[in-house]
Amino acid sequence: MLVLTRKNGEAITVGDQIRIRVLDVKGTQVRLGIEAPDDMRIYREEIYLQVQEENRQAAEWNLADLEKAVHQLSGHGKE
Amino acid sequence: MQVNTARFGLLDIEEDKVISMPQGLLGFPEKRFILLTPPNLGPFCWLQAVENPNLAFVVTDAKNYSPDCGYRLTEEECLALELGEDSAVIFLLIVTMAADPKDITVNLRGPIVLNPERLIARQVVIEGDKYPIRQPFFAPPGGTATPKKRAKEKAAA
Protein backbone atom coordinates (compact mmCIF):
# COMPACT_ATOMS: atom_id res chain seq x y z
CA MET A 1 0.00 0.00 0.00
CA LEU A 2 1.20 3.45 -0.87
CA VAL A 3 1.25 5.67 2.19
CA LEU A 4 1.37 9.46 1.90
CA THR A 5 1.31 12.11 4.59
CA ARG A 6 -0.76 15.21 3.86
CA LYS A 7 -1.45 18.41 5.76
CA ASN A 8 -4.69 20.29 5.93
CA GLY A 9 -5.43 21.74 2.49
CA GLU A 10 -3.07 19.43 0.66
CA ALA A 11 -4.25 16.94 -1.90
CA ILE A 12 -3.32 13.80 -3.75
CA THR A 13 -4.15 13.03 -7.35
CA VAL A 14 -5.08 9.63 -8.70
CA GLY A 15 -4.54 9.43 -12.42
CA ASP A 16 -5.41 12.67 -14.17
CA GLN A 17 -9.08 12.79 -13.26
CA ILE A 18 -9.26 12.33 -9.53
CA ARG A 19 -8.12 14.69 -6.82
CA ILE A 20 -8.67 14.10 -3.13
CA ARG A 21 -8.01 16.99 -0.79
CA VAL A 22 -7.85 17.09 2.99
CA LEU A 23 -10.33 19.84 3.89
CA ASP A 24 -10.32 19.59 7.62
CA VAL A 25 -8.87 17.54 10.45
CA LYS A 26 -10.64 17.51 13.79
CA GLY A 27 -9.54 15.01 16.38
CA THR A 28 -10.01 11.60 14.81
CA GLN A 29 -12.10 12.89 11.90
CA VAL A 30 -10.82 13.90 8.52
CA ARG A 31 -12.93 15.70 5.95
CA LEU A 32 -12.04 14.94 2.39
CA GLY A 33 -13.02 16.76 -0.76
CA ILE A 34 -13.08 14.58 -3.84
CA GLU A 35 -13.01 15.84 -7.38
CA ALA A 36 -13.74 13.12 -9.89
CA PRO A 37 -15.74 12.59 -13.07
CA ASP A 38 -19.47 12.91 -12.41
CA ASP A 39 -20.34 9.43 -13.32
CA MET A 40 -17.77 7.68 -11.16
CA ARG A 41 -19.06 5.70 -8.21
CA ILE A 42 -17.53 6.92 -4.98
CA TYR A 43 -18.81 5.81 -1.64
CA ARG A 44 -17.83 5.18 1.91
CA GLU A 45 -16.28 1.77 2.31
CA GLU A 46 -18.99 0.69 4.79
CA ILE A 47 -21.59 0.81 2.05
CA TYR A 48 -19.61 -1.60 -0.04
CA LEU A 49 -19.09 -3.86 2.97
CA GLN A 50 -22.80 -3.74 3.81
CA VAL A 51 -23.70 -4.98 0.36
CA GLN A 52 -21.11 -7.71 0.70
CA GLU A 53 -22.56 -8.76 4.04
CA GLU A 54 -26.11 -8.64 2.71
CA ASN A 55 -25.05 -10.88 -0.19
CA ARG A 56 -23.69 -13.34 2.32
CA GLN A 57 -26.97 -13.38 4.22
CA ALA A 58 -29.02 -13.62 1.06
CA ALA A 59 -27.06 -16.69 0.01
CA GLU A 60 -28.33 -18.51 3.11
CA TRP A 61 -31.87 -19.44 2.25
CA ASN A 62 -33.92 -22.56 2.07
CA LEU A 63 -36.68 -23.75 -0.21
CA ALA A 64 -39.27 -23.92 2.56
CA ASP A 65 -39.01 -20.17 3.17
CA LEU A 66 -39.24 -19.45 -0.54
CA GLU A 67 -42.32 -21.61 -0.86
CA LYS A 68 -43.90 -19.84 2.09
CA ALA A 69 -43.27 -16.49 0.42
CA VAL A 70 -44.76 -17.65 -2.86
CA HIS A 71 -47.77 -18.95 -0.98
CA GLN A 72 -48.21 -15.61 0.76
CA LEU A 73 -48.10 -13.85 -2.60
CA SER A 74 -50.65 -16.10 -4.22
CA GLY A 75 -52.94 -15.63 -1.23
CA HIS A 76 -52.83 -11.87 -1.70
CA GLY A 77 -53.29 -12.29 -5.43
CA LYS A 78 -56.86 -13.52 -4.92
CA GLU A 79 -58.03 -10.36 -3.21
CA MET B 1 -24.11 -29.07 -19.70
CA GLN B 2 -25.07 -30.33 -16.28
CA VAL B 3 -25.20 -28.05 -13.30
CA ASN B 4 -25.31 -29.51 -9.86
CA THR B 5 -27.34 -27.53 -7.35
CA ALA B 6 -27.79 -28.12 -3.64
CA ARG B 7 -31.43 -27.04 -3.62
CA PHE B 8 -32.77 -28.27 -6.92
CA GLY B 9 -30.64 -31.24 -7.80
CA LEU B 10 -28.94 -31.83 -11.12
CA LEU B 11 -30.05 -29.48 -13.88
CA ASP B 12 -29.51 -29.74 -17.58
CA ILE B 13 -28.59 -26.30 -18.88
CA GLU B 14 -27.63 -25.11 -22.31
CA GLU B 15 -24.15 -23.68 -22.31
CA ASP B 16 -25.33 -20.52 -24.07
CA LYS B 17 -27.58 -19.65 -21.12
CA VAL B 18 -24.67 -19.08 -18.80
CA ILE B 19 -24.37 -15.53 -17.49
CA SER B 20 -20.88 -14.30 -16.98
CA MET B 21 -20.14 -12.05 -14.06
CA PRO B 22 -16.47 -11.16 -14.50
CA GLN B 23 -16.38 -9.40 -11.14
CA GLY B 24 -18.58 -11.89 -9.34
CA LEU B 25 -20.99 -10.82 -6.65
CA LEU B 26 -19.49 -8.78 -3.83
CA GLY B 27 -17.90 -11.20 -1.43
CA PHE B 28 -18.05 -14.24 -3.70
CA PRO B 29 -15.48 -15.49 -6.18
CA GLU B 30 -17.91 -17.31 -8.51
CA LYS B 31 -18.08 -15.83 -12.00
CA ARG B 32 -20.57 -17.96 -13.89
CA PHE B 33 -24.26 -18.15 -13.09
CA ILE B 34 -27.50 -19.31 -14.57
CA LEU B 35 -30.82 -17.57 -14.05
CA LEU B 36 -33.71 -19.94 -13.55
CA THR B 37 -37.31 -18.86 -13.65
CA PRO B 38 -39.57 -21.67 -12.52
CA PRO B 39 -43.18 -20.62 -13.19
CA ASN B 40 -44.35 -21.74 -9.76
CA LEU B 41 -42.16 -19.23 -7.96
CA GLY B 42 -44.20 -16.15 -8.81
CA PRO B 43 -41.97 -13.10 -9.09
CA PHE B 44 -38.95 -14.94 -7.73
CA CYS B 45 -36.17 -16.35 -9.84
CA TRP B 46 -33.01 -17.85 -8.69
CA LEU B 47 -29.47 -17.19 -9.66
CA GLN B 48 -27.38 -20.30 -9.37
CA ALA B 49 -23.60 -20.47 -9.48
CA VAL B 50 -22.52 -22.94 -12.14
CA GLU B 51 -19.44 -24.13 -10.31
CA ASN B 52 -20.74 -24.11 -6.76
CA PRO B 53 -23.86 -26.17 -6.03
CA ASN B 54 -24.40 -24.40 -2.70
CA LEU B 55 -24.33 -20.87 -3.99
CA ALA B 56 -27.65 -19.54 -5.18
CA PHE B 57 -29.57 -16.33 -4.69
CA VAL B 58 -33.24 -15.61 -4.85
CA VAL B 59 -33.70 -12.61 -7.11
CA THR B 60 -36.59 -10.66 -8.52
CA ASP B 61 -36.78 -8.40 -11.55
CA ALA B 62 -36.82 -4.84 -10.22
CA LYS B 63 -39.82 -4.25 -12.49
CA ASN B 64 -41.86 -6.74 -10.50
CA TYR B 65 -41.08 -4.82 -7.44
CA SER B 66 -40.99 -1.16 -8.26
CA PRO B 67 -41.34 -0.19 -11.91
CA ASP B 68 -39.21 2.88 -11.54
CA CYS B 69 -36.11 2.31 -9.50
CA GLY B 70 -34.35 4.99 -11.50
CA TYR B 71 -31.01 3.26 -11.57
CA ARG B 72 -28.36 5.00 -13.61
CA LEU B 73 -25.27 3.28 -14.85
CA THR B 74 -21.88 4.85 -15.34
CA GLU B 75 -20.12 4.85 -18.68
CA GLU B 76 -17.61 2.37 -17.40
CA GLU B 77 -20.40 0.01 -16.29
CA CYS B 78 -22.15 0.26 -19.66
CA LEU B 79 -18.90 -0.56 -21.40
CA ALA B 80 -18.20 -3.53 -19.15
CA LEU B 81 -21.73 -4.82 -19.73
CA GLU B 82 -21.47 -4.15 -23.48
CA LEU B 83 -24.61 -2.06 -23.32
CA GLY B 84 -25.33 0.16 -26.28
CA GLU B 85 -27.77 3.05 -26.22
CA ASP B 86 -30.75 0.92 -27.13
CA SER B 87 -29.76 -2.24 -25.35
CA ALA B 88 -32.23 -3.92 -23.09
CA VAL B 89 -31.13 -4.06 -19.50
CA ILE B 90 -32.56 -5.96 -16.57
CA PHE B 91 -32.06 -5.02 -12.94
CA LEU B 92 -32.29 -7.96 -10.62
CA LEU B 93 -32.77 -7.35 -6.93
CA ILE B 94 -31.34 -9.87 -4.52
CA VAL B 95 -33.92 -11.11 -2.06
CA THR B 96 -32.95 -11.93 1.51
CA MET B 97 -35.31 -14.71 2.51
CA ALA B 98 -36.64 -15.19 6.02
CA ALA B 99 -38.73 -17.75 7.86
CA ASP B 100 -41.48 -15.18 8.30
CA PRO B 101 -42.46 -13.69 4.92
CA LYS B 102 -42.88 -10.32 6.63
CA ASP B 103 -39.14 -10.28 7.24
CA ILE B 104 -38.19 -10.88 3.62
CA THR B 105 -36.29 -7.96 2.20
CA VAL B 106 -34.92 -6.89 -1.17
CA ASN B 107 -31.63 -5.16 -1.66
CA LEU B 108 -32.17 -1.98 -3.63
CA ARG B 109 -28.64 -0.79 -2.93
CA GLY B 110 -26.80 -3.59 -4.69
CA PRO B 111 -28.78 -4.54 -7.79
CA ILE B 112 -27.42 -6.96 -10.34
CA VAL B 113 -27.41 -5.39 -13.77
CA LEU B 114 -27.87 -7.89 -16.57
CA ASN B 115 -27.39 -7.44 -20.28
CA PRO B 116 -29.92 -10.05 -21.41
CA GLU B 117 -28.52 -10.27 -24.93
CA ARG B 118 -24.86 -10.68 -24.13
CA LEU B 119 -25.52 -12.41 -20.81
CA ILE B 120 -23.04 -10.31 -18.92
CA ALA B 121 -23.95 -9.15 -15.45
CA ARG B 122 -22.48 -7.14 -12.66
CA GLN B 123 -23.50 -6.10 -9.21
CA VAL B 124 -23.35 -2.37 -8.75
CA VAL B 125 -23.59 -0.38 -5.55
CA ILE B 126 -25.97 2.55 -5.67
CA GLU B 127 -25.75 5.13 -2.94
CA GLY B 128 -28.63 7.16 -1.61
CA ASP B 129 -31.49 6.94 0.86
CA LYS B 130 -33.81 5.90 -1.93
CA TYR B 131 -32.00 2.61 -2.19
CA PRO B 132 -32.06 0.81 1.16
CA ILE B 133 -30.17 -2.39 1.53
CA ARG B 134 -33.15 -4.01 3.26
CA GLN B 135 -36.47 -2.93 1.85
CA PRO B 136 -39.31 -5.12 3.14
CA PHE B 137 -40.52 -7.15 0.20
CA PHE B 138 -44.16 -7.13 1.20
CA ALA B 139 -44.32 -3.40 1.80
CA PRO B 140 -42.86 -1.77 -1.28
CA PRO B 141 -42.79 2.01 -1.59
CA GLY B 142 -46.06 3.48 -2.82
CA GLY B 143 -48.11 1.60 -0.27
CA THR B 144 -49.33 -1.30 -2.39
CA ALA B 145 -49.91 -4.40 -0.33
CA THR B 146 -47.99 -6.75 -2.58
CA PRO B 147 -45.39 -6.37 -5.25
CA LYS B 148 -46.60 -6.29 -8.79
CA LYS B 149 -46.70 -9.71 -10.29
CA ARG B 150 -46.21 -9.15 -13.95
CA ALA B 151 -43.42 -10.20 -16.24
CA LYS B 152 -42.38 -13.19 -14.28
CA GLU B 153 -41.26 -15.01 -17.42
CA LYS B 154 -39.48 -11.97 -18.71
CA ALA B 155 -36.42 -12.26 -16.58
CA ALA B 156 -35.49 -15.44 -18.40
CA ALA B 157 -32.60 -14.51 -20.58
Side-chain angles (χ1 to χ4, degrees), chain A residues 13-68:
Chain A
T13 60
V14 182
D16 53 6
Q17 298 199 80
I18 301 166
R19 184 180 295 143
I20 302 167
R21 189 178 298 281
V22 179
L23 296 179
D24 199 12
V25 183
K26 260 188 206 150
T28 57
Q29 281 202 322
V30 180
R31 244 168 105 81
L32 301 173
I34 300 159
E35 289 171 64
D38 276 354
D39 105 323
M40 190 168 274
R41 295 213 192 275
I42 299 167
Y43 29 69
R44 294 170 179 85
E45 186 188 31
E46 304 90 276
I47 296 206
Y48 181 91
L49 296 176
Q50 277 165 12
V51 172
Q52 205 169 319
E53 177 53 31
E54 193 63 20
N55 279 353
R56 235 173 254 135
Q57 285 198 29
E60 305 288 324
W61 58 280
N62 61 61
L63 269 180
D65 291 347
L66 178 58
E67 275 158 15
K68 220 189 283 176

Side-chain angles (χ1 to χ4, degrees), chain B residues 22-149:
Chain B
Q23 303 190 323
L25 281 150
L26 298 185
F28 292 93
E30 285 79 359
K31 309 257 186 284
R32 289 177 5 117
F33 288 84
I34 43 173
L35 182 64
L36 297 151
T37 55
N40 57 337
L41 289 188
F44 302 110
C45 313
W46 94 85
L47 193 66
Q48 170 73 48
V50 172
E51 273 100 18
N52 180 355
N54 288 308
L55 185 63
F57 295 89
V58 178
V59 296
T60 189
D61 189 330
K63 268 191 232 147
N64 291 331
Y65 180 73
S66 161
D68 182 26
C69 284
Y71 290 131
R72 284 229 188 125
L73 298 176
T74 67
E75 233 177 270
E76 187 267 327
E77 286 158 357
C78 291
L79 268 174
L81 290 161
E82 297 179 19
L83 289 169
E85 272 183 26
D86 303 319
S87 302
V89 57
I90 292 171
F91 292 95
L92 296 170
L93 305 178
I94 301 180
V95 181
T96 306
M97 279 291 151
D100 184 340
K102 281 203 301 290
D103 297 331
I104 296 172
T105 58
V106 285
N107 182 352
L108 292 168
R109 179 149 293 175
I112 298 168
V113 191
L114 168 67
N115 177 339
E117 281 149 34
R118 300 294 182 98
L119 293 183
I120 307 170
R122 174 168 174 176
Q123 184 171 31
V124 298
V125 176
I126 312 277
E127 215 179 350
D129 296 340
K130 232 179 108 186
Y131 304 109
I133 206 157
R134 286 193 186 152
Q135 173 72 42
F137 183 78
F138 286 98
T144 35
T146 54
K148 292 201 173 71
K149 281 192 285 179

